[in-house]
Amino acid sequence: MTDFAFTCTGVRTDPYAAGPTLVFRLRITASGGTRVHALALRCQLRIEPARRDYGPAEAAALHDLFGDRSRWGSTLHPVQLAQVAVMVPGFTGETETDVVVPCSYDQDVSAGRYLAALEDGEAPVLMLFSGTAFTGAGGFHVEPVPWNREAPCRLPVTVWREMMEQHFPGCGWLRLPRDTMADLLAYRSRHALASWEETVRALLDAARTAGPPAREPAWAGAVLPRATGRTAP
């Protein structure tokens, strides 16, 4: 069986993509200079929060994902970033290819909230591989890519911010149910507000005037469930 090794050599944004997209550069090595006719890969990308340090502001922003810092020894579970398929053309011995990863700015997505909370440095990402290889000097053999193949990489926070700024300059994105949107629209119409920004600010100002809530909401300090297993093909 051919032994495959994977190395991530860098991460960049795709400036021509229709939506936020990261491009991970991947080096693939086949043992013994094996002739590979094609390689059908499945790649799971997972953020590993425990592999970096966090400042006070970052810790505060991550509170709703991981709880208080005192609990982080048991709550900093991996966060799923994406799962993509990659078809690698034929090569002999070694090749490089791009792993294109569409991203979301939806703040309901844990990976987006995590990355938005980071101020600088790098986010630790682990790429996990499986798939099928078509190999052989004459004819071809069908071989599985073992499930224990993986490659660590570092995603610079500046790359993430550059990507989001390209598609959402100076803005965020929030998804709301239709009935909530209808209530917001009715509020905006009643108060003759010119924009959605004015609408939200008016509600925030009203909430500040009313004072703090009587008790902490039930979801405060929620902790992500454990997500350490690989996703089945």
Side-chain angles (χ1 to χ4, degrees):
M1 183 179 292
T2 305
D3 187 21
F4 290 95
F6 301 90
T7 305
C8 180
T9 61
V11 189
R12 59 181 173 84
T13 64
D14 184 350
Y16 305 108
T21 303
L22 291 172
V23 181
F24 293 76
R25 190 65 177 173
L26 185 66
R27 180 183 299 129
I28 306 170
T29 304
S31 61
T34 302
R35 171 61 179 165
V36 180
H37 299 288
L39 188 58
L41 282 179
R42 289 181 295 274
C43 179
Q44 181 181 352
L45 295 98
R46 203 167 66 187
I47 299 170
E48 298 198 313
R51 288 172 47 201
R52 64 158 281 166
D53 296 325
Y54 302 91
E58 293 173 330
L62 293 170
H63 180 268
D64 61 335
L65 289 180
F66 304 121
D68 293 330
R69 191 189 283 270
S70 60
R71 302 172 57 199
W72 282 10
S74 59
T75 63
L76 286 185
H77 302 318
V79 177
Q80 180 88 343
L81 176 61
Q83 181 166 311
V84 296
V86 184
M87 192 56 136
V88 183
F91 65 94
T92 300
E94 183 176 288
T95 190
E96 290 195 3
T97 191
D98 288 336
V99 178
V100 179
V101 180
C103 300
S104 171
Y105 201 36
D106 187 346
Q107 292 297 293
D108 285 338
V109 177
S110 298
R113 289 161 67 191
Y114 171 84
L115 290 163
L118 302 185
E119 296 183 332
D120 53 25
E122 299 171 320
V125 177
L126 185 64
M127 306 175 74
L128 305 103
F129 301 97
S130 62
T132 304
F134 302 90
T135 64
F140 65 87
H141 307 285
V142 179
E143 304 180 30
V145 175
W147 274 60
N148 62 353
R149 297 299 180 264
E150 56 189 41
C153 60
R154 312 291 294 190
L155 169 58
V157 174
T158 53
V159 171
W160 175 267
R161 293 189 182 280
E162 173 190 340
M163 176 183 67
M164 289 306 176
E165 190 65 20
Q166 176 187 345
H167 293 277
F168 304 100
C171 299
W173 187 89
L174 184 65
R175 182 181 61 180
L176 295 172
R178 288 192 182 92
D179 55 348
T180 304
M181 285 296 299
D183 289 342
L184 280 174
L185 180 58
Y187 180 89
R188 176 179 172 176
S189 298
R190 285 197 307 271
H191 295 272
L193 299 169
S195 67
W196 287 115
E197 181 182 359
E198 283 190 30
T199 304
V200 174
R201 286 197 176 278
L203 288 168
L204 290 174
D205 291 341
R208 291 192 192 98
T209 303
R215 60 184 178 86
E216 192 176 48
W219 49 261
V223 176
L224 290 175
R226 184 178 297 274
T228 57
R230 291 172 180 256
T231 302

